[in-house]
């Protein structure tokens, strides 16, 4: 391929761009303009007689006879007066302000006159290019006509020097006019001006923007000598074109050639590192910043703060900030936004106080940064008040952040108040505010208001507004309404559904338990040429998890992998929740390895999901190691760890974690107190439970929910304080539901209080007439007191009400295979071997003092028959099979779908003592870790 200069030498030779040897002044009185061309009467003036810079100073004689030119031109209100004043300026003054004259012509719509003055006067006056184009646009004129005027002047024989041609080339770059740019390049080649660095820089900018960075690089490669300007220009061209590797290569060559790096080039390099997630490259550039002496440059340091922040290195951002000797407002805003982006609101507020002590007043950007980091509405309201006290009025960004902070159930009235402010201050015309309003109403569960906000959008609704309402309807279970709105979006709005639209429908069907329909939407996406992405599959996983369809969720995940879709952190978090609910510890460990391999372990939500998986699977040791390794622990991870200790009945350990959370400055929420009260409930810590219940209400202003009250009733009842539990139920701030009476009935069963149990039973008969668990508790209570007739009456009632007892089972995973043991139905293939080993165990246990607890059999049979029935309990069979088949010293892990009986609890303790094997047995929300003849629950369950 011939070099670029040779190729362009033959471009558009019909245009004459000769090297000028004259300069011209325009006489507007002889300048006649038509709609398509202009006729110029050009007056010659020697180049030596013209000034080289603009000055508004007048000669003494002139200033006495005429007013100041700027004042006089502003008095003109029609074209004739402007032209007359222009002519008088030329005759009278050596120098005058061209910008005011250009503005006057543009104001009158005379782009031809304005453009002519601009081009003819540019060489000596250097009027701002972008300022001129901006002014053309502000007066409602078309910018591309500026280039048409240039062509008209050239066709009339006006010759321009290289300064003007370079400026026209820059206009071609801005307006994306490739054709004229090629012509200018050809003319510059003919003049031999392509050796000038300013010319070559303009050519590189033109080709980089309008054609390709490859051509710009070729122009650069053909330069015989390259100065600092050329190096920095080609760097900027490649960075703006996204050619990162080429830019880095040029940067290294540039330093090797000892060229000076401009600060704006360094800033652009750091900006690319921020947006591309290139932390290591950013660190290397930081090294060059220090080596080249840019550490005193405020703009470069500000860019370093942003680069580290966007790559998750807040501490590094702070180090750069602390090292700065000079800081501007942007420096403070950058570091404050860095902290708020990661939820470190207290640190950001401390910086605000320090900023004010330095006598630097926060601007709207500062306050908006603080607002954006507020996850809690109270903090957002407090910041808004401080901003208003400082004299600043909230803008659309402020309101958007505030609406996001109140977008949660229970804060609808506050959201409505903000909506009123939006209307009063005419902010409802901002598309972002309107869309956030819809989203706020959707999240607060007020779909009618969301629809109202949607319908009041005057301008054409964008796809974000449509998607907000469609997703709101889908999440509320109104999937058919959502589909109808999607059809309306296509027909009336003329907008095709994107992946977000389709994914809303996918989640809507999946969350309703309609997995097949959700998968059908996936197929529709493919037919409409919208590729299902990781969000689509994660939505189905999340819906399955929400509805307890865990096995289906695993199948969906396998299908997702077969489709070639790689999981992201949200997918992994959802998958871990599924595995946690299924207690599939081995599979959970495999996912943990996947997270380590793909560097997902640094994600706080993934780490929290892993903690949750390990705690629910009874592996509290692994959960603790992972939890304490999380650098910036979110509140959810603290809650998971506390609940993990609650499940294992480790009261003091759970309270210790809660105290450390408070020491770390974390504020507990309603879920935290549910976990803490569960710790107290499962460990029999009654006084501590009352203490935390009062702390929740009076110090942290958390309103007790039904979950909190259920924990209190269960805690009091299990500990034998049935009268207190009864009084608590009577004084509850809300009406007791089935969970409250169920917890109370369970406590009455434990302590054999028939009178109170029958009161709870009658309430439950009204609330849950078909819940088999309530019937079984009454049967067990009557049986334990040998009231067999009453127990049989309950059974008769179950039969008449057609209440079916759920299948009882336990399972154990051995070598990737799950073995299920049922109380009734198909027997395990190795049943004979299992019972043989179990008889041996019972014999050994009896020698060590074991006495079968026949009270666990609620049938009116002989003691010998009861002992035989005890051997058939599914958890005993699963534990025994684990002893036979599970090799190594890993704990035997068994999952049971109902509560463990006291006899099986005792047998598990004996097995761990006699066989020196740990056993982890999970029953619902409780986990028993048996070791050396003891249980983690301390026999309190």
């Amino acid at each position: 391929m011939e070099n670029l200069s040779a190729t362009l030498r033959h471009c558009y030779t019909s245009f004459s761009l000769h090297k000028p040897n004259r300069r011209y002044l325009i006489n507007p009185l002889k300048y006649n303009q038509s709609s398509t061309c202009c006729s110029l009467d050009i007056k010659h003036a020697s180049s030596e007689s013209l000034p080289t810079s603009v000055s508004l100073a007048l000669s003494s004689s002139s200033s006495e006879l005429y007013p100041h030119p700027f004042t006089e031109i502003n008095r003109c209100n029609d074209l004739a007066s402007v032209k007359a004043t222009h002519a008088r300026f030329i005759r009278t003054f050596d120098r005058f302000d061209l910008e005011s004259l250009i503005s006057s012509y543009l104001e009158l719509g005379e782009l031809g006159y304005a453009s002519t003055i601009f081009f003819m006067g540019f060489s000596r006056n250097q009027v701002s290019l972008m300022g001129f184009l901006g002014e053309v646009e502000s007066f409602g004129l078309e910018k591309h006509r500026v280039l048409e005027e240039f062509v008209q002047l050239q066709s009339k024989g006006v010759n321009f020097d290289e300064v003007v041609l370079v400026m026209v080339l820059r206009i071609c770059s801005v307006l994306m006019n490739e054709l004229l740019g090629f012509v200018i390049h050809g003319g510059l080649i003919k003049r031999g001006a392509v050796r000038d660095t300013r010319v070559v820089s303009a050519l590189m900018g033109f080709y980089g923007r309008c054609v390709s960075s490859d051509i710009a690089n070729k122009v650069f490669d053909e330069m015989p000598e390259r100065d600092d300007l050329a190096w920095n220009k080609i760097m900027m061209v490649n960075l703006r074109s996204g050619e990162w590797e080429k830019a880095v290569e040029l940067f290294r060559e540039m330093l090797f050639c000892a060229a000076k790096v401009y600060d704006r080039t360094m800033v652009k390099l750091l900006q690319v590192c921020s947006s591309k997630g290139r932390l290591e490259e950013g660190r290397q550039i930081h090294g060059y910043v220090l080596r080249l002496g840019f550490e005193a440059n405020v703009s470069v340091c500000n860019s370093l703060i942003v680069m580290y922040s966007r790559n998750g290195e807040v501490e590094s951002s702070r180090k750069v900030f602390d090292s700065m000797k000079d800081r501007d407002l942007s420096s403070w805003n950058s570091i404050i936004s860095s902290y708020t982006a990661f939820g470190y609101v207290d640190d950001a507020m401390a910086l605000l106080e320090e900023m004010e002590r330095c006598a630097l007043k926060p601007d709207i950007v500062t306050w908006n940064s603080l607002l954006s980091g507020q996850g809690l509405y109270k903090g957002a309201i407090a910041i808004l008040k401080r901003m208003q006290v400082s004299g600043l009025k909230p803008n659309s960004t402020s309101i958007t952040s505030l609406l996001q902070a109140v977008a949660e159930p229970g804060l609808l009235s506050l959201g409505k108040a903000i909506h009123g402010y939006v209307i009063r201050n005419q902010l409802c015309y901002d598309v972002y505010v309107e869309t956030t309003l819809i989203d706020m109403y959707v999240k607060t569960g007020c779909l009618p208001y969301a629809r109202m906000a949607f319908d009041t959008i005057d301008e054409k609704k964008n796809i974000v507004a449509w998607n907000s309402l469609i997703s709101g309807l889908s999440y509320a279970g109104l999937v058919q309404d959502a589909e109808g709105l999607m059809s309306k979006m296509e027909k009336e709005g003329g907008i095709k559904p994107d992946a977000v639209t389709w994914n809303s429908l996918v989640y809507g069907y999946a969350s309703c338990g309609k997995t097949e329909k959700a998968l059908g939407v996936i197929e529709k996406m493919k037919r409409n040429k919208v590729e299902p992405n990781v969000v689509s599959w994660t939505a189905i996983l999340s819906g399955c998890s929400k509805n307890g369809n865990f096995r289906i969720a695993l199948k969906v995940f396998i299908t997702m992998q077969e489709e070639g879709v790689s999981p992201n952190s949200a997918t992994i978090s959802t998958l871990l929740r599924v595995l946690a609910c299924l207690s599939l510890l081995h599979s959970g460990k495999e996912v943990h390895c996947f997270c380590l391999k793909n560097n997902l372990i640094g994600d706080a939500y993934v780490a929290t999901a892993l903690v949750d998986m390990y705690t629910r699977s009874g592996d509290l040791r692994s959960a603790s190691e992972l939890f304490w390794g999380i650098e910036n622990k979110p509140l959810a991870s603290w809650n998971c760890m506390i609940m993990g200790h609650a499940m294992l009945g480790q009261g003091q350990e759970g309270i210790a974690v809660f105290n450390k959370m408070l020491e770390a400055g974390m504020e507990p929420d309603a879920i935290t107190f549910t976990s803490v009260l569960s710790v107290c409930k499962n460990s029999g810590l009654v006084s501590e439970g009352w203490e935390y219940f009062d702390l929740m209400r009076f110090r942290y202003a958390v309103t007790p929910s039904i979950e909190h009250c259920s924990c209190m009733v269960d805690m009091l009842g299990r500990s034998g304080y049935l009268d207190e539990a009864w009084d608590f139920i009577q004084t509850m701030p809300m009406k007791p539901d089935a969970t409250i009476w169920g917890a109370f009935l369970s406590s009455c069963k434990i302590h054999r209080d028939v009178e109170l149990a029958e009161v709870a039973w009658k309430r439950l008969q009204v609330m849950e007439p078909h819940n088999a668990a309530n019937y079984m508790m009454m049967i067990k209570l009557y049986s334990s007191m040998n009231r067999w007739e009453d127990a049989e009456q309950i059974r008769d009632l179950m039969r008449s009400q057609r209440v079916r007892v759920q299948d009882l089972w336990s399972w154990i995973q051995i070598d990737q295979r799950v073995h299920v043991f049922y109380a009734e139905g198909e027997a395990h293939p190795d049943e004979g071997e299992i019972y043989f080993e179990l008889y041996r165990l019972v014999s050994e246990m009896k020698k060590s003092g074991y006495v079968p607890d026949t009270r666990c059999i609620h049938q009116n049979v002989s003691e010998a028959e009861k002992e035989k029935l005890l051997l058939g309990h599914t958890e005993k069979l699963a534990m025994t099979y684990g002893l036979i088949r599970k090799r190594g010293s890993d704990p035997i892990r068994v999952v049971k779908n109902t509560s463990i009986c006291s006899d099986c609890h005792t047998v598990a303790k004996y097995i761990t003592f006699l066989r020196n094997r740990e056993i982890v047995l999970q029953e619902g929300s409780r986990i028993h870790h048996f070791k050396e003849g003891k249980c983690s629950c301390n026999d309190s369950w």
Side-chain angles (χ1 to χ4, degrees):
M1 178 180 177
E2 297 182 22
N3 65 38
L4 190 64
S5 300
T7 304
L8 289 174
R9 254 187 207 106
H10 307 289
C11 283
Y12 305 98
T13 53
S14 59
F15 284 91
S16 175
L17 290 173
H18 303 292
K19 186 174 181 179
N21 54 9
R22 296 178 178 178
R23 292 183 182 268
Y24 301 90
L25 290 175
I26 307 162
N27 186 342
L29 297 178
K30 297 180 181 180
Y31 176 57
N32 300 315
Q33 182 187 24
S34 67
S35 60
T36 57
C37 63
C38 53
S39 175
L40 296 175
D41 184 7
I42 301 173
K43 178 182 177 181
H44 171 258
S46 65
S47 58
E48 289 79 5
S49 65
L50 293 176
T52 58
S53 62
V54 177
S55 173
L56 294 180
L58 307 178
S59 63
S60 58
S61 60
S62 299
S63 62
E64 294 173 1
L65 295 174
Y66 297 102
H68 194 285
F70 184 77
T71 305
E72 187 173 354
I73 198 68
N74 281 341
R75 292 176 182 173
C76 302
N77 53 15
D78 56 30
L79 181 59
S81 59
V82 172
K83 290 168 69 176
T85 303
H86 183 187
R88 186 160 58 252
F89 285 173
I90 294 174
R91 291 194 302 269
T92 308
F93 303 118
D94 290 334
R95 304 171 186 177
F96 54 88
D97 183 15
L98 289 184
E99 292 187 3
S100 299
L101 193 61
I102 289 171
S103 297
S104 297
Y105 279 123
L106 289 174
E107 189 174 2
L108 294 168
E110 297 294 337
L111 183 60
Y113 288 108
S115 298
T116 303
I117 297 170
F118 175 71
F119 288 123
M120 301 294 289
F122 183 82
S123 295
R124 62 193 181 91
N125 289 286
Q126 298 291 306
V127 178
S128 169
L129 166 61
M130 298 309 296
F132 174 64
L133 292 178
E135 203 165 6
V136 169
E137 190 173 26
S138 68
F139 284 113
L141 303 173
E142 297 177 354
K143 290 188 288 187
H144 70 84
R145 285 182 53 201
V146 173
L147 290 177
E148 292 178 5
E149 297 297 337
F150 169 78
V151 173
Q152 290 284 354
L153 288 171
Q154 176 63 30
S155 66
K156 294 296 181 180
V158 180
N159 295 322
F160 297 103
D161 62 7
E162 290 83 356
V163 175
V164 176
L165 295 180
V166 167
M167 182 268 298
V168 174
L169 196 60
R170 286 166 56 201
I171 298 177
C172 292
S173 301
V174 173
L175 302 183
M176 302 295 288
N177 191 321
E178 298 177 23
L179 182 62
L180 185 57
F182 293 152
V183 174
I184 300 294
H185 190 179
L188 290 168
I189 291 172
K190 289 181 180 180
R191 294 186 177 195
V194 290
R195 292 179 178 272
D196 188 294
T197 302
R198 290 174 300 172
V199 173
V200 177
S201 296
L203 284 169
M204 289 189 292
F206 164 73
Y207 283 111
R209 180 175 171 82
C210 297
V211 185
S212 77
S213 57
D214 291 337
I215 304 296
N217 289 329
K218 193 166 183 62
V219 172
F220 176 76
D221 292 339
E222 292 180 3
M223 290 184 70
E225 295 182 4
R226 302 160 184 169
D227 60 4
D228 298 340
L229 176 63
W231 279 106
N232 283 275
K233 185 65 180 181
I234 194 61
M235 280 279 297
M236 294 294 282
V237 166
N238 281 277
L239 288 170
R240 286 169 180 160
S241 301
E243 299 294 333
W244 168 255
E245 287 76 12
K246 181 65 177 178
V248 171
E249 179 186 339
L250 288 166
F251 182 64
R252 289 170 179 157
E253 290 181 26
M254 180 180 183
L255 296 175
F256 183 77
C257 295
K260 180 183 178 182
V261 183
Y262 293 167
D263 53 358
R264 63 176 178 270
T265 308
M266 194 66 77
V267 167
K268 186 65 180 178
L269 272 169
L270 291 168
Q271 287 174 351
V272 172
C273 291
S274 302
S275 59
K276 293 282 186 180
R278 300 177 181 273
L279 178 61
E280 290 306 314
E281 291 88 342
R283 290 187 189 278
Q284 293 176 24
I285 294 169
H286 190 179
Y288 286 116
V289 166
L290 298 174
R291 188 184 305 175
L292 300 173
F294 280 104
E295 66 271 17
N297 188 293
V298 176
S299 298
V300 172
C301 289
N302 291 345
S303 298
L304 277 169
I305 293 171
V306 174
M307 184 275 294
Y308 279 121
S309 169
R310 291 186 179 173
N311 283 284
E313 295 287 328
V314 184
E315 292 182 3
S316 298
S317 293
R318 185 58 187 264
K319 287 178 181 178
V320 174
F321 177 79
D322 290 339
S323 68
M324 295 174 67
K325 294 181 180 179
D326 298 318
R327 301 165 183 157
D328 60 6
L329 186 58
S330 179
S331 310
W332 289 94
N333 288 342
S334 297
I335 190 63
I336 287 173
S337 63
S338 297
Y339 277 114
T340 56
F342 289 91
Y344 304 141
V345 182
D346 292 339
D347 294 302
M349 294 301 295
L351 280 166
L352 176 68
E353 303 298 336
E354 184 182 347
M355 178 181 179
E356 290 176 334
R357 286 195 298 270
C358 294
L360 195 61
K361 185 178 179 181
D363 64 356
I364 191 69
V365 177
T366 317
W367 294 111
N368 285 344
S369 297
L370 290 165
L371 277 172
S372 67
Q374 288 292 335
L376 300 175
Y377 76 95
K378 291 180 181 178
I381 296 295
I383 288 173
L384 184 70
K385 289 179 178 177
R386 286 189 61 178
M387 180 176 75
Q388 290 177 307
V389 168
S390 70
L392 290 172
K393 187 177 180 180
N395 60 10
S396 59
T397 305
S398 318
I399 296 300
T400 300
S401 298
L402 194 60
L403 285 169
Q404 290 170 347
V406 303
E408 59 181 81
L411 299 178
L412 178 60
S413 58
L414 190 55
K416 287 180 179 179
I418 298 169
H419 192 177
Y421 179 89
V422 168
I423 295 171
R424 289 193 302 274
N425 291 271
Q426 298 182 343
L427 291 171
C428 52
Y429 300 106
D430 187 289
V431 65
Y432 297 106
V433 173
E434 290 173 329
T435 305
T436 312
L437 272 170
I438 297 170
D439 186 62
M440 182 272 295
Y441 281 124
V442 165
K443 289 180 179 176
T444 51
C446 190
L447 288 177
Y449 278 88
R451 189 61 185 257
M452 179 192 69
F454 177 80
D455 292 336
T456 54
I457 298 177
D458 294 331
E459 298 181 5
K460 187 176 180 181
K461 301 175 181 68
N462 61 14
I463 194 167
V464 178
W466 286 98
N467 283 344
S468 295
L469 190 55
I470 289 171
S471 64
L473 293 168
S474 297
Y475 293 169
L478 305 172
V479 191
Q480 291 183 343
D481 294 342
E483 284 195 286
L485 190 62
M486 187 176 79
S487 298
K488 186 178 180 181
M489 178 179 80
E490 288 188 88
K491 293 176 182 177
E492 297 181 13
I495 301 174
K496 287 187 176 182
D498 62 0
V500 176
T501 321
W502 289 106
N503 288 341
S504 298
L505 297 180
V506 169
Y507 179 80
Y509 279 122
S511 62
C512 293
K514 300 176 180 178
T515 308
E516 292 300 323
K517 285 195 173 183
L519 291 170
V521 175
I522 293 282
E523 295 303 317
K524 285 183 182 179
M525 290 176 70
K526 295 176 181 177
R527 289 196 296 270
N528 284 272
K529 297 181 180 179
V530 178
E531 192 65 29
N533 54 23
V534 65
V535 179
S536 315
W537 293 101
T538 305
I540 301 181
L541 275 176
S542 180
C544 291
S545 174
K546 178 183 175 182
N547 286 281
N549 300 323
F550 305 121
R551 297 186 184 279
I552 297 175
L554 290 179
K555 291 180 181 178
V556 169
F557 181 73
I558 293 169
T559 305
M560 170 185 165
Q561 290 182 305
E562 290 172 351
E563 292 278 333
V565 179
S566 299
N568 60 11
S569 57
T571 317
I572 294 300
S573 299
T574 306
L575 178 63
L576 285 167
R577 282 199 301 272
V578 170
L579 296 174
C581 292
L582 292 172
S583 297
L584 293 174
L585 179 62
H586 184 79
S587 299
K589 287 182 176 180
E590 290 179 345
V591 176
H592 190 175
C593 293
F594 176 86
C595 294
L596 291 169
K597 184 179 178 180
N598 292 274
N599 200 28
L600 291 172
I601 202 71
D603 188 295
Y605 296 101
V606 172
T608 300
L610 279 167
V611 171
D612 184 53
M613 184 273 298
Y614 279 120
T615 55
R616 285 173 180 263
S617 301
D619 190 353
L620 204 59
R621 182 184 301 170
S622 298
S624 296
E625 290 176 0
L626 190 62
F627 171 75
W628 294 114
I630 302 174
E631 290 188 11
N632 302 308
K633 301 175 183 62
L635 182 60
S637 65
W638 290 98
N639 293 343
C640 284
M641 202 64 216
I642 296 169
M643 184 56 80
H645 287 293
M647 294 173 73
L648 281 158
Q650 298 176 347
Q652 296 302 327
E653 292 87 343
I655 289 173
V657 174
F658 177 71
N659 291 332
K660 287 183 179 179
M661 185 192 85
L662 297 180
E663 291 172 5
M666 300 293 291
E667 184 169 334
D669 62 0
I671 299 174
T672 312
F673 282 107
T674 300
S675 302
V676 173
L677 292 175
S678 296
V679 166
C680 299
K681 173 192 73 173
N682 294 343
S683 304
L685 303 175
V686 178
S687 59
E688 289 87 346
W690 275 117
E691 178 186 342
Y692 291 122
F693 188 73
D694 292 336
L695 185 74
M696 173 184 74
R697 291 185 296 167
F698 301 123
R699 180 172 177 180
Y700 293 102
V702 175
T703 304
S705 66
I706 202 74
E707 289 81 7
H708 300 132
C709 294
S710 178
C711 286
M712 291 299 293
V713 171
D714 203 6
M715 177 189 71
L716 293 169
R718 284 175 180 274
S719 300
Y721 299 102
L722 292 175
D723 291 336
E724 278 195 57
W726 174 261
D727 292 338
F728 185 90
I729 293 172
Q730 301 307 311
T731 58
M732 277 174 55
M734 74 282 291
K735 186 178 179 180
D737 67 354
T739 60
I740 298 293
W741 290 114
F744 188 65
L745 177 58
S746 176
S747 300
C748 293
K749 176 182 72 75
I750 292 170
H751 298 286
R752 300 186 183 186
D753 192 320
V754 177
E755 183 181 354
L756 289 176
E758 288 178 342
V759 173
W761 161 249
K762 289 178 182 178
R763 301 294 178 92
L764 287 167
Q765 276 294 93
V766 176
M767 295 178 180
E768 294 181 335
H770 294 92
N771 188 344
N774 299 329
Y775 291 87
M776 292 308 299
M777 279 193 284
M778 289 303 296
I779 290 172
K780 290 176 182 178
L781 174 59
Y782 286 136
S783 300
S784 66
M785 302 181 71
N786 293 323
R787 294 175 56 171
W788 300 110
E789 290 183 5
D790 293 326
E792 193 59 35
Q793 285 180 4
I794 299 294
R795 289 192 177 96
D796 291 340
L797 183 61
M798 288 181 70
R799 284 190 284 268
S800 64
Q801 294 286 342
R802 295 183 179 179
V803 177
R804 183 178 177 273
V805 179
Q806 66 174 333
D807 295 331
L808 303 180
W809 50 256
S810 298
W811 63 261
I812 183 171
Q813 184 178 6
I814 298 175
D815 297 331
Q816 303 281 342
R817 185 180 176 187
V818 174
H819 298 264
V820 185
F821 298 86
Y822 295 98
E824 296 179 4
E826 185 179 351
H828 192 275
D830 299 324
E831 186 181 56
E833 185 181 1
I834 294 169
Y835 273 109
F836 181 79
E837 179 64 23
L838 184 56
Y839 275 110
R840 285 180 56 197
L841 277 170
V842 171
S843 177
E844 287 184 49
M845 287 189 293
K846 285 183 176 179
K847 292 178 183 178
S848 299
Y850 163 68
V851 177
D853 188 355
T854 56
R855 293 174 302 172
C856 299
I857 300 299
H858 309 295
Q859 298 176 27
N860 191 12
V861 294
S862 66
E863 289 296 311
E865 187 64 25
K866 286 182 178 179
E867 287 191 29
K868 289 181 181 180
L869 291 173
L870 282 175
L871 292 175
H873 281 196
T874 58
E875 57 266 49
K876 284 191 181 77
L877 300 176
M879 289 187 290
T880 305
Y881 193 64
L883 287 173
I884 297 171
R885 290 285 185 267
K886 200 167 180 65
R887 306 301 177 193
S889 59
D890 287 345
I892 297 169
R893 299 182 182 276
V894 176
V895 178
K896 181 176 172 62
N897 69 332
T898 56
S899 299
I900 184 175
C901 71
S902 59
D903 184 71
C904 291
H905 193 270
T906 302
V907 167
K909 290 193 290 185
Y910 271 102
I911 290 175
T912 58
F913 177 74
L914 295 172
R915 292 290 187 267
N916 194 27
R917 289 292 295 272
E918 294 181 32
I919 296 175
V920 177
L921 195 150
Q922 181 176 348
E923 42 137 2
S925 61
R926 293 298 303 271
I927 296 174
H928 301 269
H929 189 174
F930 301 95
K931 183 179 180 181
E932 297 176 352
K934 296 179 181 179
C935 180
S936 60
C937 72
N938 294 317
D939 298 334
S940 173
W941 87 100

